């Protein structure tokens, strides 16, 4: 074998081929640089060998190697994997003739070899020397208004400016104190606030704006580079005057507003160059920092910190008296169906579980019921294992998460946020999906991971305030080969011997032990193979027989797909433990006589041990997914979760010692065998004890959690309120026409209704109904008003549903939503007949009333299991999962036919008299828009034609005069309403080149703004169109996005006291941007991208502002305790492909 230029071993022919490819790559780069006006070329290679680096240096001088076009986490994952592969061949870079920079541990040491760099390289070195990784807060504030708004005058603050400066000071100081207190309340450090540094320009109004902070003892520094952009000769000229006098300059500015400079003025590029020393000092600053400057300066600094496009810098806006705060108010997401994908921490009381590619955090015992607190994004595939870890080096909790993406991520609390967590490290090494994680209790960061590459790896992690390090201690190749699905680590004694149990896709449990050798290194070796199970083993759990006593025997529980749990005893000493009564359990019958009690003996740390079979627990009727222990009143209890839809709690009988089931929770016998349509949960995938052991939770097939708490006085387990959510992409969302509740549809084939549970001053969101449980993936939905909605799925028809009385009463009682006079005419509930496919209305019966099928035709007979009693529908709390799945269906009232393929979009007119729909299409014959009259549910013909590929979105204008359609054929079309309903709509105009790539969504602005709509496309842009005459709309503004724009929606009314026009759009990468538009020019004046920590990790499917209801407190307005009107809240709902449904509260915090 030969070693190639990249350090890999390969045959001679492979090395020769690789060299030819490298030569061709270099030739392409030279051609790009020399003949195609190229400025930067990237030669992507690790180059671990000294000879290879010298060779490249001769051809490429002063060219850096970087990633581009990668997501940060993907770049880290790929680069670490490449490093790991090249380490055996790596030669330290010490070639004296090459130009290179070495940085050790983020600035601890920097080595610069050969200083004959060019200007740019010297600037890079200078920049690197100014970096640090300590966290701090950076605040921006505009200077107050001055008596004379003149660049040359340098006037003092006006009275309004002084008032602004005073309130800004009060707001900032209060915000810092409140943020620190929130961190302490969450269990974070109570360290004093970091010092606050303040920078201003040398202009008088910035100095006077900071004067109130200076008088409070804060240090203020004046920096001349922070002076505002020089406006040149156009200062104080109106836009109309500039257009008249300098038409050529206007054209240049509109073509390139970042680089263009008006006569005797500065461009934004000039300003950015001037601010370079400030940016370097900003990076070096370790204190919190407030910069008080002109808006033009803040634009450049903000763009640098937030990595904005240079073209967007002139459009950024920083209002003096306004802060727009966006908070994640509600997150609904279902849990991943994997037995190892959840853990409940006994210290921070948070339950972490896998939710698609994310890790969700939830406090089940919080009596305010806030639901999911945060989603931690970083994995690129489903999360399959989650575990909390504590280390001796840090008091903070750590979350370990494993994924199908073959990586383990380490999460730690964000010191700057009371709810956020940060990804501290990405650990790579496995070549298959991570299936299980086990943590060694009481250790200094020891944990094990098992993956689908048939290996188990032992790691040690150390996490401090300065950073994190991890070391791979050992890799165990499993023999005979199987995939590990369950792991657990324990201590054999108090002297340092460890025990590891591994099980998975074979019916054996492997026991490994480790103790310190002469050099102090622990290495696991196989000690025993425990046989007895007859199926895959899904869960393992160790516990000391005597609580926290390492000298007592260890018990191991193994749960299997053979429907049994086996208990094993690990005993220290040459003698076997006393014989147990496992085989005497009368429930075992003849099986008890065949149980093997073979002793497996081994040594560790000079001591002798034995493993023997202890007990067989049977009682579940299907696969068992998890088993977990808890010490209880001097003894032990075991919790098991099964695919038979039940949790079981086991303990040994006090007299016989036989393990018996003392409690069973969930859905018992009568509910078994039910189909998906009638709400079967398909089993419990998780069973976890609370830290106190007084509560248990389980996760079902629908992604919903269930909670039970022990009432010791009554000696019974009481079900409590938990959380629910979709388990596949959320494809469509729609607010009720009054904004009372939110509907969502998903690829998990359900439609769900979420509303706010009101309890005095407390409000929290819950799923109150599951109106539709379908057999097809659901794609779109819209509200029809009058307590009804329409949805479309991967079938050729649409379905209309009406609210039943049970749901209306529940929403009225718990959410204050009045159903009005329609309530009396509603059916009580709905179900799906045994041989039916549609939700059918039913009437509830009085308690105790028996339903007789005598004298009934066989087809008309009532299934006794479907009978619902009225008391069942009367709840005093949000419905539990079993109630949601069985008693909150909505009866189906209509089916709409006509389309030839799967439904792609649906929209209802604002007067609810018409419905417009479209289906997936690849030809003009199917790319039609069909209209239906909602009074008689008949199609209005002919169908509307304008597109030749799938119509992706349909939107009615606020007065229903126009219907807007956009599609995958890159065009938009506007139809105008005819005089009569029978005539429908007629095509007015279309633009076949509305975007350069497919258009995915559209939205109309409020009617008061005029005939304005927005379109979002895969060309990474959102375009604003305005009507200029009866048959023409022109593009007034193009807003650039960092990724393809998938969804857009205008705020349905003007924002705030200033009456601004706002819209929100979402991207394919999960980003969300809220953008303000100038009412006169429609230019983007406020562009705010939401913090990455609170946005989805995958593509935005749809977003929708909550309808405004004047006088409806709690929906868009809030009141203070004395009844006075306070600031307004706006709610933005988001549906995403990461299976999450989110509601953001957008507050106008004017001061």
């Amino acid at each position: 074998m030969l070693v190639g230029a990249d350090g890999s071993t390969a045959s001679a022919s492979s090395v020769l081929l690789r060299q030819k490819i490298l030569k061709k790559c270099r030739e392409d780069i030279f051609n790009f640089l020399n003949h195609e006006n190229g400025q930067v070329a990237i030669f992507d290679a690790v180059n671990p060998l000294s000879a290879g680096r010298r060779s490249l240096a001769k051809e490429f001088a002063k060219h850096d190697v970087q990633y581009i076009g990668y997501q940060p986490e993907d770049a880290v994952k790929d680069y670490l994997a490449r490093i790991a592969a090249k380490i055996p061949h790596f030669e330290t870079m010490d070639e004296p003739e090459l130009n290179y920079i070495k940085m050790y541990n983020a600035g601890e040491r920097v080595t610069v070899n050969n200083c004959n760099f060019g200007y740019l390289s010297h600037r890079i070195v200078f920049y690197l020397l100014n970096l640090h990784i300590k966290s701090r807060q950076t605040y921006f504030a505009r200077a107050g208004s001055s008596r004379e708004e003149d660049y040359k005058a340098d006037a003092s603050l006006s009275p309004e400016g002084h008032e602004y400066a005073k309130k800004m000071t009060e707001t900032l100081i209060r915000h810092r104190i409140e943020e620190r207190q929130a961190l302490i309340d969450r269990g974070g450090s109570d360290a004093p606030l970091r010092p606050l540094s303040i920078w201003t320009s040398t202009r008088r109004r910035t100095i006077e704006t900071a004067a109130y902070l200076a008088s409070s003892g804060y240090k203020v520094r004046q920096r001349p580079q922070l002076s505002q952009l020089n406006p040149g000769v156009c200062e104080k000229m109106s836009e109309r005057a500039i257009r008249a006098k300098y038409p050529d300059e206007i054209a240049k500015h509109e073509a390139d507003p970042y680089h263009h400079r008006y006569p005797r003025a500065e461009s934004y590029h000039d300003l950015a160059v001037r601010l370079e020393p400030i940016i370097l000092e900003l990076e070096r600053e370790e204190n919190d920092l407030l910069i008080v400057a002109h808006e033009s300066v803040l634009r450049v600094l903000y763009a640098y910190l937030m990595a904005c496009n240079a073209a967007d810098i002139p459009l950024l806006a920083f209002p003096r008296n306004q802060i727009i705060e966006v908070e994640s108010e509600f997150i609904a997401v279902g849990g991943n169906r994997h037995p190892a994908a959840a853990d409940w921490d006994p210290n921070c009381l948070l339950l972490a579980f896998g939710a698609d590619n994310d890790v969700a955090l939830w406090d089940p015992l919080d009596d305010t019921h806030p639901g999911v607190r945060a989603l931690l994004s970083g994995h690129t595939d489903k999360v399959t294992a989650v575990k909390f870890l504590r280390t001796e080096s840090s008091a903070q909790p750590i979350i370990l998460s494993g994924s199908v993406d073959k990586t383990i991520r380490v999460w730690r609390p964000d010191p700057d946020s009371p709810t956020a967590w940060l990804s501290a490290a990405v650990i790579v090494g496995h070549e298959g999906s991570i299936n299980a994680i086990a943590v060694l209790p009481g250790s200094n960061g020891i944990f094990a991971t098992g993956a689908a590459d048939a290996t188990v790896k032992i790691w040690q992690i150390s996490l401090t305030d300065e950073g994190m390090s991890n070391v791979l201690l050992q890799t165990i190749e499993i023999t005979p080969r199987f995939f590990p699905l369950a792991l657990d680590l324990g201590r054999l004694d108090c002297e340092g011997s460890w025990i590891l149990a591994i099980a998975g896709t074979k019916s054996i449990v492997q026991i490994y032990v480790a103790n310190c050798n002469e050099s102090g290194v622990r290495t696991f070796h196989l000690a025993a193979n425990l046989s007895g199970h007859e199926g895959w083993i899904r869960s393992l759990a160790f516990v000391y027989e005597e609580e926290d006593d390492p000298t007592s025997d260890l018990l191991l529980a193994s749960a299997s797909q053979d429907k049994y749990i086996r208990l094993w005893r690990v005993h220290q000493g040459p003698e076997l433990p006393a014989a147990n009564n496992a085989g005497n359990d009368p429930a075992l019958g003849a099986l008890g006589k065949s149980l093997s009690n073979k002793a497996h003996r081994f040594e560790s740390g000079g001591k002798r041990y034995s493993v023997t079979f202890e007990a067989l627990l049977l009682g579940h009727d299907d696969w068992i997914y998890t088993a977990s222990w808890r010490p209880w009143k001097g003894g032990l209890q075991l919790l098991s979760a099964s695919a038979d839809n039940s949790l079981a709690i086991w303990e040994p009988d006090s007299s016989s010692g036989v393990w018996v089931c003392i409690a069973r929770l969930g859905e018992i016998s009568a509910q078994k065998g039910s189909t998906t349509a009638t709400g079967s949960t398909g089993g419990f995938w998780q069973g976890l004890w609370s830290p106190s052991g007084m509560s248990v939770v389980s996760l079902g097939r629908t992604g919903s959690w269930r909670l039970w708490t022990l009432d010791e006085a009554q000696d019974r387990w009481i079900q409590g309120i938990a959380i629910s959510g979709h388990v596949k992409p959320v494809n469509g969302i729609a607010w009720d026409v009054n904004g009372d509740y939110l509907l969502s549809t998903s690829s998990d084939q359900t439609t769900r209704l979420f509303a706010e549970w009101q309890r005095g001053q407390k409000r929290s969101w819950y799923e109150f109904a599951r109106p539709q449980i379908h057999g097809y993936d659901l794609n779109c939905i819209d509200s029809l008003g009058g307590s009804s909605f329409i949805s479309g799925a991967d079938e050729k028809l649409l379905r209309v549903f009406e609210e039943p009385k049970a749901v209306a009463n529940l929403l009225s009682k718990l959410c204050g939503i009045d159903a009005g006079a329609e309530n009396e005419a509603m059916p009580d509930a709905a179900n799906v007949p045994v041989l039916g496919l549609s939700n059918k209305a039913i009437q509830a019966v009085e308690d105790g009333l028996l339903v007789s099928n005598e004298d009934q035709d066989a087809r008309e007979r009532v299934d006794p299991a479907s009978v619902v009693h009225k008391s069942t529908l009367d709840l005093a709390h949000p419905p539990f999962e079993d109630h949601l799945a069985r008693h909150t269906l909505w009866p189906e009232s209509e089916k709409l036919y006509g389309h030839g393929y799967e439904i792609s979009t649906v929209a209802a007119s604002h007067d609810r008299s018409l419905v417009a729909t479209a289906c997936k299409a690849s030809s003009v014959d199917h790319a039609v828009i069909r209209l239906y009259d909602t009074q008689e549910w008949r199609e209005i013909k002919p169908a509307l034609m304008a597109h030749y590929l799938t119509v992706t979105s349909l939107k009615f204008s606020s007065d229903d005069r126009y219907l807007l359609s956009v599609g995958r054929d890159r065009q938009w079309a506007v139809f105008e309403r005819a005089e009569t309903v029978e005539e429908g709509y007629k095509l007015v105009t279309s633009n076949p080149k509305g975007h350069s790539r497919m258009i995915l969504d559209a939205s109309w602005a409020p009617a008061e703004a005029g005939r304005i709509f927005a379109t979002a496309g895969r060309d990474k842009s959102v375009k604003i169109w305005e009507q200029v005459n009866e048959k023409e709309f022109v593009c007034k503004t193009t807003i650039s996005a960092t990724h393809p724009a998938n969804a857009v929606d205008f705020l349905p009314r003007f924002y705030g006291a200033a009456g601004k026009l706002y819209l929100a759009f979402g991207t394919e990468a999960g980003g969300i941007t809220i953008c303000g538009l100038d009412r006169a020019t429609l230019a983007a004046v406020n562009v705010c991208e939401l913090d990455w920590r609170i946005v989805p990790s995958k593509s935005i499917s749809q977003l929708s502002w909550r309808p405004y209801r004047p006088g409806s407190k709690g929906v868009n307005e809030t009141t203070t305790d004395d009844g006075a009107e306070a600031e307004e809240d706006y709610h933005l709902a988001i549906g995403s492909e990461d299976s999450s449904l989110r509601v953001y509260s957008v507050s106008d915090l004017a001061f």
Side-chain angles (χ1 to χ4, degrees):
M1 288 292 185
L2 300 177
V3 178
D6 63 350
S8 62
T9 57
S11 65
S13 60
S14 296
V15 171
L16 182 61
L17 177 60
R18 184 178 292 120
Q19 290 174 346
K20 289 181 179 179
I21 295 173
L22 293 177
K23 181 180 179 182
K24 178 62 176 175
C25 289
R26 292 194 294 269
E27 291 173 353
D28 288 345
I29 290 176
F30 282 130
N31 182 67
F32 169 72
L33 294 173
N34 298 330
H35 305 294
E36 298 180 5
N37 298 320
Q39 294 181 334
V40 178
I42 299 175
F43 186 80
D44 186 8
V46 177
N47 302 317
L49 300 183
S50 175
R53 292 192 292 263
R54 285 190 170 96
S55 176
L56 286 173
K58 294 177 181 179
E59 299 186 59
F60 302 113
K62 300 185 289 292
H63 285 284
D64 194 11
V65 179
Q66 300 179 22
Y67 281 88
I68 191 167
Y70 273 66
Q71 293 295 324
E73 59 272 12
D74 294 336
V76 169
K77 173 184 171 183
D78 181 78
Y79 195 65
L80 290 177
R82 290 164 60 190
I83 289 176
K86 310 307 177 187
I87 284 176
H89 310 287
F90 191 82
E91 299 173 3
T92 300
M93 180 179 285
D94 55 7
E95 297 84 356
E97 73 277 16
L98 298 185
N99 302 327
Y100 59 82
I101 304 167
K102 286 186 181 180
M103 175 176 281
Y104 303 82
N105 299 331
E108 181 181 291
R109 183 157 61 97
V110 177
T111 299
V112 181
N113 193 67
N114 283 344
C115 295
N116 57 340
F117 287 179
Y119 169 79
L120 183 59
S121 299
H122 278 294
R123 301 308 298 168
I124 292 173
V125 173
F126 185 48
Y127 178 79
L128 292 174
L129 291 173
N130 282 276
L131 290 179
H132 67 83
I133 58 174
K134 294 182 179 179
S135 63
R136 79 277 195 193
Q137 299 274 24
T138 301
Y139 304 94
F140 291 157
R142 283 185 61 181
S145 58
S146 58
R147 297 178 182 275
E148 184 179 355
E149 296 287 345
D150 190 305
Y151 174 77
K152 300 177 182 178
D154 194 17
S156 297
L157 290 180
S158 65
E160 294 79 10
H162 280 287
E163 183 65 20
Y164 158 81
K166 183 178 179 181
K167 290 186 177 181
M168 185 272 292
T169 300
E170 295 170 352
T171 301
L172 177 63
I173 294 174
R174 183 174 65 251
H175 170 76
R176 282 165 48 82
I177 294 173
E178 290 174 351
E179 194 170 47
R180 175 179 178 270
Q181 187 59 48
L183 183 62
I184 295 173
D185 292 343
R186 194 196 67 166
S189 171
D190 61 352
L193 284 169
R194 283 186 296 269
L196 176 66
S197 300
I198 301 163
W199 296 353
T200 73
S201 73
T202 53
R203 308 282 291 182
R204 185 174 298 173
R205 61 178 179 177
T206 64
I207 297 171
E208 293 180 359
T209 300
Y212 291 93
L213 286 163
S215 64
S216 299
Y218 292 95
K219 183 178 180 180
V220 179
R221 293 182 59 190
Q222 299 173 18
R223 311 300 306 270
Q225 297 95 332
L226 290 174
S227 295
Q228 72 187 75
L229 181 146
N230 187 340
V233 299
C234 294
E235 185 184 14
K236 292 188 175 182
M237 293 179 64
S238 67
E239 181 181 356
R240 178 175 297 180
I242 297 173
R243 287 185 178 275
K245 190 171 183 178
Y246 301 105
D248 294 341
E249 297 294 336
I250 286 289
K252 293 177 183 178
H253 180 78
E254 290 178 346
D256 188 359
Y258 175 73
H259 290 95
H260 173 259
R261 63 172 68 92
Y262 285 103
R264 299 174 60 186
E266 283 182 303
S267 68
Y268 275 95
H269 178 72
D270 297 332
L271 179 58
V273 172
R274 168 157 50 95
L275 289 173
E276 182 182 343
I278 293 293
I279 291 173
L280 291 173
E281 191 163 351
L282 187 152
E283 290 289 359
R284 190 166 62 245
E285 182 64 53
E286 297 185 5
N287 296 336
D288 286 353
L289 177 63
L290 167 66
I291 297 178
V292 181
H294 186 268
E295 186 176 30
S296 58
V297 174
L298 300 184
R299 286 170 176 162
V300 174
L301 295 178
Y302 177 86
Y304 165 74
L305 292 175
M306 301 304 293
C308 297
N309 290 331
D312 295 334
I313 291 177
L315 305 178
L316 299 175
F318 297 85
R320 280 196 182 94
N321 63 337
Q322 189 178 72
I323 300 174
I324 298 176
E325 181 179 57
V326 180
E327 295 181 340
S328 180
E329 182 171 307
F330 170 64
I331 302 173
V333 66
N336 291 343
R337 298 193 292 267
H338 197 288
D343 194 24
W344 200 340
D345 185 64
N347 296 297
C348 69
L349 304 182
L350 288 177
L351 189 155
F353 63 91
D356 196 67
N357 294 4
D358 304 326
V359 177
L361 302 181
W362 169 46
D363 184 352
L365 303 181
D366 189 336
D367 59 7
T368 62
H369 305 295
V372 174
R373 292 191 173 185
L375 289 178
L376 312 183
S377 302
H379 285 293
T380 58
D381 213 325
K382 284 192 179 296
V383 174
T384 51
V386 176
K387 207 74 174 177
F388 279 94
L389 172 68
R390 293 273 174 167
T391 67
E392 297 175 0
S393 58
S394 175
Q396 293 180 329
I398 298 170
I399 297 175
L400 304 172
S401 61
S403 167
V404 178
D405 66 11
K406 308 176 187 179
T407 68
I408 303 104
R409 283 187 175 262
V410 183
W411 308 88
R412 65 185 301 180
D414 184 350
D416 297 326
S417 172
T419 59
W421 289 58
L422 298 174
S423 179
V426 181
I427 302 175
V428 297
H430 282 291
E431 297 179 358
S433 303
I434 310 300
N435 293 330
I437 300 175
V439 171
L440 182 65
S443 69
N444 189 21
I446 302 295
F447 67 96
T449 57
D453 56 6
T455 66
V456 172
K457 294 181 182 289
I458 313 299
W459 311 82
Q460 182 170 23
I461 190 172
S462 176
L463 185 61
T464 65
D465 293 337
E466 284 71 35
M468 193 282 297
S469 63
N470 65 275
V471 178
L472 175 62
L473 302 179
Q474 183 182 356
T475 297
I476 301 172
E477 300 282 349
I478 300 175
T479 305
R481 181 181 172 86
F482 65 85
F483 294 160
L485 301 178
L487 305 172
D488 202 20
L489 278 165
R491 293 180 178 273
L492 278 174
D493 53 36
C494 54
E495 299 177 6
S497 293
W498 300 343
I499 185 169
L500 168 66
I502 304 174
T505 56
K506 282 190 179 296
S507 57
I508 60 173
V509 179
Q510 292 194 334
I511 301 296
Y512 290 77
V513 295
N515 59 279
C516 288
N517 58 23
E518 295 178 355
S519 60
V521 178
R522 291 183 177 86
T523 302
F524 282 98
H525 63 272
L526 181 63
N529 284 311
L530 308 181
S531 60
H533 282 295
E534 298 177 352
W536 290 6
I537 299 168
R538 305 305 296 263
S539 181
L540 296 169
F542 280 116
V543 69
Y544 288 119
E545 188 173 30
E546 302 294 333
E547 184 178 1
D548 297 328
D549 182 4
T551 63
S552 65
D553 287 354
L554 267 178
L555 292 181
L556 171 66
S558 58
S560 170
Q561 292 179 186
D562 63 8
K563 309 177 188 177
Y564 301 138
I565 299 172
R566 286 178 175 258
L567 303 185
W568 312 84
R569 180 180 293 273
V570 182
H571 176 73
Q572 179 184 334
E575 302 295 331
L576 293 178
N580 61 69
N581 296 319
N584 299 327
D585 185 351
L588 298 177
L591 182 61
K593 299 179 181 180
S594 65
L595 295 176
S596 171
N597 201 19
K598 175 186 176 182
H600 302 266
R601 298 180 182 273
F602 60 88
E603 291 188 6
S604 180
K607 299 177 183 179
R608 299 177 66 183
Y609 295 88
S610 62
V611 182
T612 55
F613 172 72
E614 177 72 12
L616 180 69
L617 280 56
L618 69 165
H620 284 297
D621 298 327
D622 212 330
W623 294 1
I624 303 173
Y625 287 121
T626 64
S628 57
W629 296 99
R630 77 157 172 174
W632 180 249
K633 296 183 178 180
L636 293 173
Q637 288 187 340
L638 182 70
L639 174 69
S640 59
S642 169
D644 65 6
N645 297 335
S646 71
L647 296 179
I649 299 175
W650 311 80
E651 69 177 19
D653 182 74
S654 57
S655 57
S656 66
V658 173
W659 284 80
V660 294
C661 178
I662 63 167
R664 189 177 287 268
L665 311 172
E667 305 193 15
I668 316 302
S669 61
Q671 305 293 350
K672 293 175 183 175
S674 55
T675 66
T676 300
T678 55
S680 169
T681 58
F684 290 166
W685 289 76
Q686 292 277 355
L688 296 173
W689 294 104
S690 68
S692 67
M694 297 296 290
S695 299
V696 297
V697 293
S698 70
L699 175 70
R701 184 192 64 84
T702 59
S704 301
W705 287 89
R706 305 190 189 198
L707 168 72
W708 289 269
T709 300
L710 177 62
D711 185 334
E712 290 192 273
Q714 302 182 45
D715 191 26
R716 45 190 301 257
W717 290 86
I718 308 299
Q719 190 166 0
I721 299 169
I723 58 174
S724 63
H726 292 288
V727 293
K728 289 188 178 180
V730 178
N731 297 324
I733 58 175
W735 290 98
D736 166 60
V737 292
N738 295 320
D740 291 328
Y741 54 77
L742 178 64
L743 294 163
S744 62
T745 58
S746 166
S747 295
D748 66 6
Q749 303 182 353
T750 65
T751 296
R752 307 188 185 217
L753 183 153
F754 297 88
E756 289 179 287
W757 181 24
Q758 301 178 9
R759 312 172 305 285
Q761 296 297 318
K762 295 180 180 178
R763 294 173 179 267
S764 50
W765 287 82
Y766 282 96
E767 183 181 355
F768 276 87
R770 201 162 295 165
Q772 186 180 10
I773 301 175
H774 204 27
Y776 293 91
D777 292 0
L778 291 157
N779 298 328
C780 52
I781 190 170
D782 204 358
S783 175
L784 295 175
S787 303
S788 62
F789 71 87
I790 183 171
S791 66
D794 278 348
E795 55 179 345
K796 301 176 184 180
L797 56 92
L798 296 102
R799 299 172 187 264
V800 180
F801 297 85
E802 304 287 343
E803 184 180 29
K805 188 181 297 184
V807 174
N809 290 340
L810 186 65
L811 294 175
S812 175
K813 184 177 181 179
L814 300 182
C815 306
I817 300 173
D818 185 13
E822 300 174 357
N823 194 343
E824 293 304 319
M826 296 176 177
D828 286 335
N831 69 4
V832 179
V834 176
L835 299 179
L837 299 175
S838 302
N839 297 358
K840 181 180 178 181
I842 61 172
Q843 296 298 321
V845 301
E846 298 292 341
D847 292 358
L849 182 64
L850 298 178
V851 178
S852 174
N853 281 319
E854 294 183 5
D855 302 326
Q856 292 286 335
D857 182 86
R859 290 174 297 179
E860 300 297 329
R861 288 180 181 177
V862 178
D863 179 5
S866 68
V867 175
V868 178
H869 293 94
K870 290 186 177 180
S871 61
T872 304
L873 304 177
D874 186 16
L875 301 178
H877 53 74
F880 301 142
E881 173 60 23
D882 53 347
H883 189 97
L884 279 170
R886 302 184 189 284
H887 303 305
T888 62
L889 287 172
W890 288 25
E892 183 180 316
S893 60
E894 296 289 343
K895 293 184 180 70
L896 306 183
Y897 297 91
H899 288 293
Y901 291 96
E902 298 90 339
I903 306 301
S904 61
T905 184
V906 63
S909 62
H910 292 82
D911 63 8
R912 309 301 158 181
S913 64
L914 292 174
V915 168
T917 72
C919 72
K920 296 179 181 179
S922 58
S923 67
V924 68
D925 294 332
H926 292 285
V928 297
I929 301 165
R930 300 185 185 276
L931 298 176
Y932 297 87
D933 175 10
T934 61
Q935 298 301 313
E936 300 179 0
W937 292 111
R938 61 180 180 81
E939 183 180 352
I940 300 173
K941 296 184 177 181
L944 306 181
M945 302 182 68
H947 299 270
Y948 56 89
L949 292 177
T950 302
V951 176
T952 54
S953 182
L954 295 166
K955 294 294 170 64
F956 287 91
S957 61
S958 56
D959 60 358
D960 293 331
R961 180 179 174 183
Y962 293 104
L963 172 62
L964 170 65
S965 65
V966 297
R968 298 174 68 89
D969 55 5
R970 309 180 185 183
Q971 74 167 316
W972 56 257
V974 175
F975 302 86
E976 186 174 12
R977 195 166 193 168
E979 295 293 332
T980 63
V981 174
E982 289 75 13
E983 296 179 276
Y985 281 74
K986 305 295 183 183
L987 180 64
V988 174
T989 184
S990 65
N991 188 330
K993 297 181 180 179
H995 284 252
S996 59
R997 299 190 66 185
M998 65 180 69
I999 308 176
L1000 299 175
D1001 199 12
S1003 177
W1004 287 95
E1008 299 81 0
R1011 302 297 181 185
I1012 298 168
F1013 65 83
T1015 55
R1018 284 196 60 84
D1019 57 2
K1020 301 182 181 180
S1021 70
V1022 174
K1023 295 188 177 184
I1024 312 300
W1025 306 82
E1026 184 178 26
Q1027 187 176 31
V1028 293
N1029 56 52
E1030 286 295 322
K1031 294 190 176 183
E1032 185 180 4
F1033 288 79
V1034 298
C1035 180
K1036 301 290 290 185
T1037 299
T1038 298
I1039 304 169
S1040 297
T1042 55
H1043 295 85
N1046 287 4
V1048 65
D1049 194 38
F1050 269 103
L1051 187 67
R1053 71 187 189 106
F1054 290 122
Y1055 180 93
K1060 295 179 181 177
L1061 192 61
Y1062 270 81
L1063 62 79
F1065 65 87
T1067 69
E1068 187 178 70
I1072 301 170
T1073 300
I1074 299 176
C1075 181
L1077 303 178
D1078 183 272
R1079 290 183 63 175
T1081 65
L1082 296 183
V1085 292
N1086 291 39
V1087 179
C1088 172
E1089 187 170 351
L1090 270 60
D1091 191 298
W1092 61 271
R1093 291 172 294 188
I1094 64 171
V1095 300
S1097 60
K1098 290 185 179 179
S1099 176
I1100 305 298
S1101 304
Q1102 189 176 350
L1103 47 77
S1104 177
W1105 291 97
R1106 193 174 192 174
Y1108 172 66
R1109 297 189 302 162
S1112 176
K1113 307 300 179 185
V1115 176
N1116 290 96
E1117 301 176 6
T1118 59
T1119 56
T1120 60
D1121 293 337
D1122 59 3
E1125 187 172 306
E1127 73 273 2
E1128 293 180 289
D1129 285 350
Y1130 303 81
H1131 292 106
L1132 178 64
I1134 303 290
S1136 170
E1137 289 188 4
D1138 68 0
S1139 78
S1140 70
L1141 174 69
R1142 304 170 190 238
V1143 177
Y1144 296 97
S1145 174
V1146 182
S1147 302
D1148 184 356
L1149 302 182
F1151 56 79

